[in-house]
Short mmCIF file of all heavy atoms in Angstrom, two decimals:
data_model
loop_
_atom_site.label_atom_id
_atom_site.label_comp_id
_atom_site.label_asym_id
_atom_site.label_seq_id
_atom_site.Cartn_x
_atom_site.Cartn_y
_atom_site.Cartn_z
N GLY A 102 -22.76 -83.08 -67.92
CA GLY A 102 -22.76 -81.62 -68.01
C GLY A 102 -21.48 -81.08 -68.59
O GLY A 102 -21.49 -80.17 -69.42
N VAL A 103 -20.34 -81.65 -68.19
CA VAL A 103 -19.05 -81.21 -68.71
C VAL A 103 -18.96 -81.54 -70.20
O VAL A 103 -18.53 -80.71 -71.01
CB VAL A 103 -17.89 -81.85 -67.92
CG1 VAL A 103 -16.54 -81.46 -68.51
CG2 VAL A 103 -17.96 -81.45 -66.45
N GLU A 104 -19.36 -82.75 -70.56
CA GLU A 104 -19.33 -83.15 -71.97
C GLU A 104 -20.24 -82.25 -72.80
O GLU A 104 -19.89 -81.86 -73.92
CB GLU A 104 -19.75 -84.61 -72.11
CG GLU A 104 -18.72 -85.57 -71.57
CD GLU A 104 -19.22 -87.00 -71.53
OE1 GLU A 104 -20.40 -87.26 -71.82
OE2 GLU A 104 -18.39 -87.88 -71.20
N LEU A 105 -21.39 -81.91 -72.27
CA LEU A 105 -22.32 -81.03 -72.97
C LEU A 105 -21.69 -79.67 -73.22
O LEU A 105 -21.76 -79.13 -74.32
CB LEU A 105 -23.61 -80.87 -72.15
CG LEU A 105 -24.54 -79.74 -72.54
CD1 LEU A 105 -25.12 -79.99 -73.92
CD2 LEU A 105 -25.64 -79.59 -71.51
N GLU A 106 -21.05 -79.11 -72.20
CA GLU A 106 -20.42 -77.81 -72.37
C GLU A 106 -19.37 -77.85 -73.47
O GLU A 106 -19.30 -76.95 -74.31
CB GLU A 106 -19.80 -77.35 -71.05
CG GLU A 106 -20.85 -76.99 -70.02
CD GLU A 106 -20.27 -76.45 -68.75
OE1 GLU A 106 -19.32 -75.66 -68.80
OE2 GLU A 106 -20.78 -76.83 -67.68
N TYR A 107 -18.57 -78.90 -73.47
CA TYR A 107 -17.53 -78.99 -74.49
C TYR A 107 -18.11 -79.32 -75.86
O TYR A 107 -17.58 -78.87 -76.87
CB TYR A 107 -16.43 -79.98 -74.08
CG TYR A 107 -15.32 -79.26 -73.38
CD1 TYR A 107 -15.34 -79.10 -72.00
CD2 TYR A 107 -14.29 -78.66 -74.08
CE1 TYR A 107 -14.35 -78.40 -71.34
CE2 TYR A 107 -13.29 -77.96 -73.44
CZ TYR A 107 -13.32 -77.83 -72.07
OH TYR A 107 -12.34 -77.11 -71.44
N GLU A 108 -19.19 -80.07 -75.92
CA GLU A 108 -19.81 -80.34 -77.22
C GLU A 108 -20.28 -79.03 -77.85
O GLU A 108 -20.05 -78.76 -79.04
CB GLU A 108 -20.99 -81.30 -77.10
CG GLU A 108 -21.61 -81.61 -78.45
CD GLU A 108 -22.68 -82.69 -78.41
OE1 GLU A 108 -22.98 -83.23 -77.33
OE2 GLU A 108 -23.21 -83.00 -79.49
N LEU A 109 -20.93 -78.19 -77.06
CA LEU A 109 -21.38 -76.90 -77.58
C LEU A 109 -20.19 -75.99 -77.90
O LEU A 109 -20.19 -75.29 -78.91
CB LEU A 109 -22.33 -76.23 -76.59
CG LEU A 109 -23.72 -76.85 -76.52
CD1 LEU A 109 -24.48 -76.30 -75.32
CD2 LEU A 109 -24.49 -76.58 -77.80
N TYR A 110 -19.21 -76.00 -77.05
CA TYR A 110 -18.01 -75.18 -77.24
C TYR A 110 -17.31 -75.57 -78.54
O TYR A 110 -16.97 -74.72 -79.38
CB TYR A 110 -17.11 -75.39 -76.02
CG TYR A 110 -15.83 -74.60 -75.96
CD1 TYR A 110 -15.82 -73.21 -75.95
CD2 TYR A 110 -14.62 -75.26 -75.84
CE1 TYR A 110 -14.64 -72.51 -75.84
CE2 TYR A 110 -13.42 -74.56 -75.72
CZ TYR A 110 -13.44 -73.18 -75.73
OH TYR A 110 -12.27 -72.49 -75.62
N LEU A 111 -17.12 -76.87 -78.77
CA LEU A 111 -16.44 -77.34 -79.97
C LEU A 111 -17.30 -77.25 -81.22
O LEU A 111 -16.77 -77.26 -82.34
CB LEU A 111 -15.95 -78.78 -79.76
CG LEU A 111 -14.83 -78.90 -78.73
CD1 LEU A 111 -14.52 -80.37 -78.45
CD2 LEU A 111 -13.59 -78.16 -79.16
N ALA A 112 -18.60 -77.12 -81.05
CA ALA A 112 -19.48 -76.95 -82.20
C ALA A 112 -19.14 -75.67 -82.95
O ALA A 112 -19.46 -75.54 -84.14
CB ALA A 112 -20.94 -76.94 -81.77
N ALA A 113 -18.47 -74.75 -82.28
CA ALA A 113 -18.07 -73.50 -82.93
C ALA A 113 -17.12 -73.75 -84.10
O ALA A 113 -17.00 -72.90 -84.99
CB ALA A 113 -17.42 -72.56 -81.91
N LEU A 114 -16.48 -74.90 -84.14
CA LEU A 114 -15.62 -75.24 -85.28
C LEU A 114 -16.41 -75.26 -86.59
O LEU A 114 -15.92 -74.84 -87.63
CB LEU A 114 -14.96 -76.60 -85.08
CG LEU A 114 -13.92 -76.68 -83.98
CD1 LEU A 114 -13.53 -78.13 -83.72
CD2 LEU A 114 -12.69 -75.86 -84.35
N ARG A 115 -17.63 -75.75 -86.53
CA ARG A 115 -18.46 -75.90 -87.73
C ARG A 115 -19.62 -74.90 -87.81
O ARG A 115 -20.25 -74.77 -88.84
CB ARG A 115 -19.06 -77.30 -87.79
CG ARG A 115 -18.03 -78.38 -87.82
CD ARG A 115 -17.73 -78.75 -89.23
NE ARG A 115 -16.80 -79.88 -89.25
CZ ARG A 115 -15.80 -79.94 -90.06
NH1 ARG A 115 -15.57 -78.97 -90.90
NH2 ARG A 115 -15.01 -80.99 -90.05
N ARG A 116 -19.88 -74.24 -86.71
CA ARG A 116 -20.99 -73.28 -86.66
C ARG A 116 -20.43 -71.90 -86.28
O ARG A 116 -20.30 -71.59 -85.10
CB ARG A 116 -22.04 -73.73 -85.65
CG ARG A 116 -22.76 -74.99 -86.06
CD ARG A 116 -23.79 -75.36 -84.99
NE ARG A 116 -24.51 -76.53 -85.34
CZ ARG A 116 -25.74 -76.54 -85.86
NH1 ARG A 116 -26.37 -75.40 -86.07
NH2 ARG A 116 -26.35 -77.67 -86.13
N PRO A 117 -20.12 -71.09 -87.27
CA PRO A 117 -19.50 -69.78 -86.99
C PRO A 117 -20.30 -68.91 -86.03
O PRO A 117 -19.71 -68.09 -85.32
CB PRO A 117 -19.41 -69.13 -88.38
CG PRO A 117 -19.37 -70.29 -89.33
CD PRO A 117 -20.23 -71.36 -88.70
N ALA A 118 -21.61 -69.09 -85.96
CA ALA A 118 -22.42 -68.27 -85.05
C ALA A 118 -22.03 -68.50 -83.59
O ALA A 118 -22.23 -67.62 -82.75
CB ALA A 118 -23.90 -68.59 -85.25
N LEU A 119 -21.45 -69.65 -83.30
CA LEU A 119 -21.06 -69.96 -81.92
C LEU A 119 -19.68 -69.41 -81.54
O LEU A 119 -19.35 -69.33 -80.37
CB LEU A 119 -21.07 -71.48 -81.70
CG LEU A 119 -22.43 -72.16 -81.78
CD1 LEU A 119 -22.26 -73.67 -81.66
CD2 LEU A 119 -23.37 -71.64 -80.72
N ARG A 120 -18.90 -69.03 -82.52
CA ARG A 120 -17.53 -68.60 -82.24
C ARG A 120 -17.44 -67.39 -81.31
O ARG A 120 -16.61 -67.38 -80.40
CB ARG A 120 -16.78 -68.34 -83.55
CG ARG A 120 -16.50 -69.65 -84.27
CD ARG A 120 -15.81 -69.45 -85.58
NE ARG A 120 -15.77 -70.74 -86.28
CZ ARG A 120 -15.59 -70.88 -87.56
NH1 ARG A 120 -15.39 -69.82 -88.32
NH2 ARG A 120 -15.59 -72.08 -88.09
N PRO A 121 -18.27 -66.37 -81.51
CA PRO A 121 -18.18 -65.25 -80.56
C PRO A 121 -18.51 -65.67 -79.13
O PRO A 121 -17.94 -65.14 -78.19
CB PRO A 121 -19.22 -64.25 -81.09
CG PRO A 121 -19.39 -64.60 -82.54
CD PRO A 121 -19.19 -66.09 -82.62
N VAL A 122 -19.40 -66.63 -78.97
CA VAL A 122 -19.77 -67.07 -77.63
C VAL A 122 -18.62 -67.87 -77.01
O VAL A 122 -18.34 -67.75 -75.82
CB VAL A 122 -21.07 -67.89 -77.64
CG1 VAL A 122 -21.51 -68.24 -76.23
CG2 VAL A 122 -22.18 -67.13 -78.35
N ALA A 123 -17.95 -68.68 -77.82
CA ALA A 123 -16.77 -69.40 -77.33
C ALA A 123 -15.70 -68.40 -76.90
O ALA A 123 -15.06 -68.58 -75.85
CB ALA A 123 -16.25 -70.35 -78.40
N ALA A 124 -15.54 -67.34 -77.68
CA ALA A 124 -14.57 -66.30 -77.34
C ALA A 124 -14.98 -65.57 -76.06
O ALA A 124 -14.13 -65.22 -75.23
CB ALA A 124 -14.41 -65.31 -78.49
N GLU A 125 -16.28 -65.37 -75.88
CA GLU A 125 -16.78 -64.75 -74.65
C GLU A 125 -16.42 -65.58 -73.43
O GLU A 125 -16.07 -65.05 -72.38
CB GLU A 125 -18.31 -64.58 -74.69
CG GLU A 125 -18.81 -63.53 -75.61
CD GLU A 125 -20.33 -63.58 -75.77
OE1 GLU A 125 -21.02 -64.22 -74.95
OE2 GLU A 125 -20.83 -62.97 -76.74
N TRP A 126 -16.52 -66.94 -73.58
CA TRP A 126 -16.17 -67.83 -72.47
C TRP A 126 -14.71 -67.61 -72.08
O TRP A 126 -14.40 -67.43 -70.91
CB TRP A 126 -16.41 -69.29 -72.86
CG TRP A 126 -16.02 -70.23 -71.76
CD1 TRP A 126 -16.80 -70.62 -70.70
CD2 TRP A 126 -14.76 -70.89 -71.59
NE1 TRP A 126 -16.09 -71.47 -69.89
CE2 TRP A 126 -14.84 -71.66 -70.41
CE3 TRP A 126 -13.58 -70.91 -72.32
CZ2 TRP A 126 -13.78 -72.43 -69.95
CZ3 TRP A 126 -12.52 -71.68 -71.86
CH2 TRP A 126 -12.63 -72.43 -70.69
N CYS A 127 -13.85 -67.63 -73.08
CA CYS A 127 -12.42 -67.43 -72.81
C CYS A 127 -12.19 -66.09 -72.12
O CYS A 127 -11.46 -66.02 -71.13
CB CYS A 127 -11.61 -67.52 -74.10
SG CYS A 127 -11.56 -69.16 -74.81
N ALA A 128 -12.80 -65.05 -72.64
CA ALA A 128 -12.62 -63.71 -72.07
C ALA A 128 -13.14 -63.63 -70.64
O ALA A 128 -12.50 -63.01 -69.77
CB ALA A 128 -13.31 -62.67 -72.95
N ALA A 129 -14.28 -64.27 -70.38
CA ALA A 129 -14.86 -64.23 -69.03
C ALA A 129 -13.97 -64.95 -68.04
O ALA A 129 -13.76 -64.47 -66.92
CB ALA A 129 -16.26 -64.84 -69.04
N VAL A 130 -13.42 -66.09 -68.42
CA VAL A 130 -12.56 -66.83 -67.51
C VAL A 130 -11.23 -66.08 -67.32
O VAL A 130 -10.71 -66.02 -66.21
CB VAL A 130 -12.36 -68.28 -67.99
CG1 VAL A 130 -11.40 -69.04 -67.08
CG2 VAL A 130 -13.71 -69.02 -68.05
N VAL A 131 -10.71 -65.49 -68.40
CA VAL A 131 -9.49 -64.68 -68.27
C VAL A 131 -9.74 -63.53 -67.29
O VAL A 131 -8.90 -63.24 -66.43
CB VAL A 131 -9.02 -64.15 -69.64
CG1 VAL A 131 -8.00 -63.03 -69.49
CG2 VAL A 131 -8.45 -65.29 -70.47
N GLU A 132 -10.89 -62.90 -67.42
CA GLU A 132 -11.22 -61.78 -66.52
C GLU A 132 -11.24 -62.24 -65.06
O GLU A 132 -10.70 -61.58 -64.18
CB GLU A 132 -12.58 -61.18 -66.90
CG GLU A 132 -12.99 -60.01 -66.04
CD GLU A 132 -14.34 -59.45 -66.43
OE1 GLU A 132 -14.66 -59.42 -67.63
OE2 GLU A 132 -15.07 -59.06 -65.50
N VAL A 133 -11.86 -63.39 -64.82
CA VAL A 133 -11.92 -63.92 -63.45
C VAL A 133 -10.51 -64.24 -62.94
O VAL A 133 -10.14 -63.87 -61.83
CB VAL A 133 -12.84 -65.16 -63.39
CG1 VAL A 133 -12.73 -65.86 -62.05
CG2 VAL A 133 -14.29 -64.76 -63.65
N LEU A 134 -9.71 -64.92 -63.77
CA LEU A 134 -8.36 -65.30 -63.35
C LEU A 134 -7.45 -64.10 -63.19
O LEU A 134 -6.49 -64.13 -62.40
CB LEU A 134 -7.76 -66.29 -64.34
CG LEU A 134 -8.42 -67.67 -64.39
CD1 LEU A 134 -7.77 -68.53 -65.46
CD2 LEU A 134 -8.36 -68.34 -63.04
N SER A 135 -7.73 -63.03 -63.92
CA SER A 135 -6.89 -61.83 -63.84
C SER A 135 -6.99 -61.14 -62.49
O SER A 135 -6.20 -60.24 -62.19
CB SER A 135 -7.25 -60.85 -64.96
OG SER A 135 -6.87 -61.39 -66.21
N ARG A 136 -7.91 -61.56 -61.66
CA ARG A 136 -7.98 -61.03 -60.30
C ARG A 136 -6.79 -61.50 -59.47
O ARG A 136 -6.47 -60.89 -58.45
CB ARG A 136 -9.27 -61.46 -59.62
CG ARG A 136 -10.51 -60.94 -60.28
CD ARG A 136 -11.76 -61.49 -59.64
NE ARG A 136 -12.91 -61.23 -60.50
CZ ARG A 136 -14.07 -61.85 -60.39
NH1 ARG A 136 -14.25 -62.76 -59.46
NH2 ARG A 136 -15.04 -61.56 -61.22
N ARG A 137 -6.17 -62.60 -59.92
CA ARG A 137 -5.05 -63.17 -59.16
C ARG A 137 -3.74 -63.17 -59.93
O ARG A 137 -2.70 -63.49 -59.36
CB ARG A 137 -5.38 -64.61 -58.77
CG ARG A 137 -6.46 -64.80 -57.73
CD ARG A 137 -5.97 -64.53 -56.31
NE ARG A 137 -4.80 -65.28 -55.93
CZ ARG A 137 -4.81 -66.49 -55.41
NH1 ARG A 137 -5.93 -67.12 -55.19
NH2 ARG A 137 -3.68 -67.08 -55.08
N THR A 138 -3.77 -62.89 -61.21
CA THR A 138 -2.54 -62.88 -62.01
C THR A 138 -2.70 -61.89 -63.15
O THR A 138 -3.77 -61.31 -63.33
CB THR A 138 -2.21 -64.31 -62.51
OG1 THR A 138 -0.90 -64.31 -63.08
CG2 THR A 138 -3.23 -64.81 -63.52
N ASP A 139 -1.67 -61.72 -63.94
CA ASP A 139 -1.76 -60.78 -65.05
C ASP A 139 -2.58 -61.40 -66.20
O ASP A 139 -2.70 -62.61 -66.28
CB ASP A 139 -0.35 -60.39 -65.53
CG ASP A 139 0.39 -61.59 -66.08
OD1 ASP A 139 0.98 -62.34 -65.27
OD2 ASP A 139 0.37 -61.79 -67.31
N PRO A 140 -3.13 -60.58 -67.09
CA PRO A 140 -3.98 -61.08 -68.17
C PRO A 140 -3.30 -62.06 -69.13
O PRO A 140 -3.94 -62.99 -69.62
CB PRO A 140 -4.42 -59.81 -68.91
CG PRO A 140 -4.30 -58.72 -67.90
CD PRO A 140 -3.14 -59.11 -67.02
N VAL A 141 -2.03 -61.89 -69.39
CA VAL A 141 -1.33 -62.81 -70.30
C VAL A 141 -1.23 -64.19 -69.66
O VAL A 141 -1.50 -65.21 -70.30
CB VAL A 141 0.06 -62.25 -70.68
CG1 VAL A 141 0.86 -63.28 -71.47
CG2 VAL A 141 -0.08 -60.96 -71.48
N THR A 142 -0.87 -64.23 -68.40
CA THR A 142 -0.80 -65.51 -67.69
C THR A 142 -2.19 -66.12 -67.59
O THR A 142 -2.36 -67.34 -67.74
CB THR A 142 -0.18 -65.32 -66.29
OG1 THR A 142 1.13 -64.78 -66.45
CG2 THR A 142 -0.11 -66.63 -65.53
N ALA A 143 -3.20 -65.29 -67.35
CA ALA A 143 -4.57 -65.79 -67.27
C ALA A 143 -4.98 -66.46 -68.58
O ALA A 143 -5.61 -67.53 -68.57
CB ALA A 143 -5.53 -64.64 -66.92
N ARG A 144 -4.63 -65.85 -69.72
CA ARG A 144 -4.95 -66.47 -71.02
C ARG A 144 -4.24 -67.81 -71.19
O ARG A 144 -4.81 -68.77 -71.69
CB ARG A 144 -4.57 -65.52 -72.16
CG ARG A 144 -5.56 -64.38 -72.35
CD ARG A 144 -5.22 -63.51 -73.53
NE ARG A 144 -5.19 -64.29 -74.75
CZ ARG A 144 -4.49 -63.94 -75.84
NH1 ARG A 144 -3.77 -62.85 -75.83
NH2 ARG A 144 -4.52 -64.68 -76.91
N ALA A 145 -2.99 -67.87 -70.77
CA ALA A 145 -2.24 -69.12 -70.86
C ALA A 145 -2.87 -70.19 -69.96
O ALA A 145 -2.95 -71.37 -70.34
CB ALA A 145 -0.78 -68.89 -70.48
N LEU A 146 -3.33 -69.80 -68.78
CA LEU A 146 -4.00 -70.75 -67.89
C LEU A 146 -5.28 -71.28 -68.50
O LEU A 146 -5.57 -72.48 -68.39
CB LEU A 146 -4.28 -70.09 -66.53
CG LEU A 146 -3.08 -69.86 -65.63
CD1 LEU A 146 -3.45 -68.96 -64.45
CD2 LEU A 146 -2.50 -71.18 -65.15
N VAL A 147 -6.04 -70.41 -69.14
CA VAL A 147 -7.27 -70.85 -69.81
C VAL A 147 -6.94 -71.87 -70.89
O VAL A 147 -7.61 -72.91 -71.01
CB VAL A 147 -8.06 -69.66 -70.38
CG1 VAL A 147 -9.19 -70.11 -71.31
CG2 VAL A 147 -8.63 -68.81 -69.26
N ALA A 148 -5.91 -71.61 -71.69
CA ALA A 148 -5.52 -72.55 -72.74
C ALA A 148 -5.10 -73.89 -72.14
O ALA A 148 -5.48 -74.96 -72.65
CB ALA A 148 -4.39 -71.95 -73.59
N LEU A 149 -4.35 -73.85 -71.05
CA LEU A 149 -3.92 -75.08 -70.40
C LEU A 149 -5.12 -75.84 -69.82
O LEU A 149 -5.23 -77.06 -70.00
CB LEU A 149 -2.90 -74.77 -69.29
CG LEU A 149 -2.42 -75.96 -68.47
CD1 LEU A 149 -1.71 -76.99 -69.36
CD2 LEU A 149 -1.50 -75.49 -67.35
N LEU A 150 -6.00 -75.13 -69.14
CA LEU A 150 -7.19 -75.78 -68.58
C LEU A 150 -8.03 -76.42 -69.67
O LEU A 150 -8.51 -77.55 -69.52
CB LEU A 150 -8.03 -74.76 -67.80
CG LEU A 150 -7.41 -74.23 -66.51
CD1 LEU A 150 -8.24 -73.09 -65.96
CD2 LEU A 150 -7.24 -75.32 -65.49
N ASP A 151 -8.20 -75.71 -70.77
CA ASP A 151 -8.94 -76.26 -71.92
C ASP A 151 -8.28 -77.55 -72.41
O ASP A 151 -8.96 -78.54 -72.66
CB ASP A 151 -8.95 -75.25 -73.07
CG ASP A 151 -10.30 -74.63 -73.30
OD1 ASP A 151 -11.28 -75.07 -72.69
OD2 ASP A 151 -10.36 -73.70 -74.12
N GLY A 152 -6.98 -77.51 -72.58
CA GLY A 152 -6.27 -78.68 -73.08
C GLY A 152 -6.37 -79.87 -72.15
O GLY A 152 -6.62 -81.00 -72.58
N ILE A 153 -6.22 -79.63 -70.86
CA ILE A 153 -6.34 -80.72 -69.89
C ILE A 153 -7.75 -81.29 -69.90
O ILE A 153 -7.93 -82.52 -69.91
CB ILE A 153 -5.93 -80.23 -68.48
CG1 ILE A 153 -4.43 -79.97 -68.43
CG2 ILE A 153 -6.34 -81.26 -67.41
CD1 ILE A 153 -3.95 -79.30 -67.13
N CYS A 154 -8.74 -80.42 -69.92
CA CYS A 154 -10.14 -80.89 -69.95
C CYS A 154 -10.41 -81.72 -71.19
O CYS A 154 -11.04 -82.79 -71.11
CB CYS A 154 -11.10 -79.72 -69.88
SG CYS A 154 -11.16 -78.94 -68.26
N LEU A 155 -9.97 -81.25 -72.33
CA LEU A 155 -10.19 -82.00 -73.57
C LEU A 155 -9.51 -83.36 -73.52
O LEU A 155 -10.09 -84.37 -73.94
CB LEU A 155 -9.70 -81.21 -74.78
CG LEU A 155 -10.63 -80.12 -75.26
CD1 LEU A 155 -9.95 -79.28 -76.34
CD2 LEU A 155 -11.93 -80.71 -75.78
N GLN A 156 -8.30 -83.42 -72.99
CA GLN A 156 -7.61 -84.71 -72.89
C GLN A 156 -8.37 -85.67 -71.99
O GLN A 156 -8.53 -86.85 -72.30
CB GLN A 156 -6.18 -84.52 -72.38
CG GLN A 156 -5.27 -83.91 -73.41
CD GLN A 156 -3.87 -83.66 -72.87
OE1 GLN A 156 -3.56 -83.95 -71.72
NE2 GLN A 156 -3.01 -83.12 -73.72
N VAL A 157 -8.85 -85.17 -70.87
CA VAL A 157 -9.61 -86.03 -69.95
C VAL A 157 -10.89 -86.52 -70.62
O VAL A 157 -11.22 -87.71 -70.56
CB VAL A 157 -9.94 -85.26 -68.64
CG1 VAL A 157 -10.98 -85.99 -67.81
CG2 VAL A 157 -8.67 -85.03 -67.83
#
Side-chain angles (χ1 to χ4, degrees):
V103 176
E104 289 172 354
L105 165 66
E106 290 184 42
Y107 268 90
E108 182 173 1
L109 286 169
Y110 183 60
L111 292 173
L114 291 170
R115 301 267 184 223
R116 293 180 179 259
L119 294 175
R120 290 178 188 160
V122 185
E125 288 171 16
W126 178 85
C127 292
V130 177
V131 165
E132 181 180 324
V133 170
L134 292 177
S135 291
R136 297 175 194 163
R137 290 282 306 273
T138 190
D139 64 277
V141 173
T142 301
R144 283 184 59 204
L146 287 169
V147 169
L149 177 61
L150 292 172
D151 251 352
I153 290 172
C154 288
L155 281 172
Q156 287 178 0
V157 167

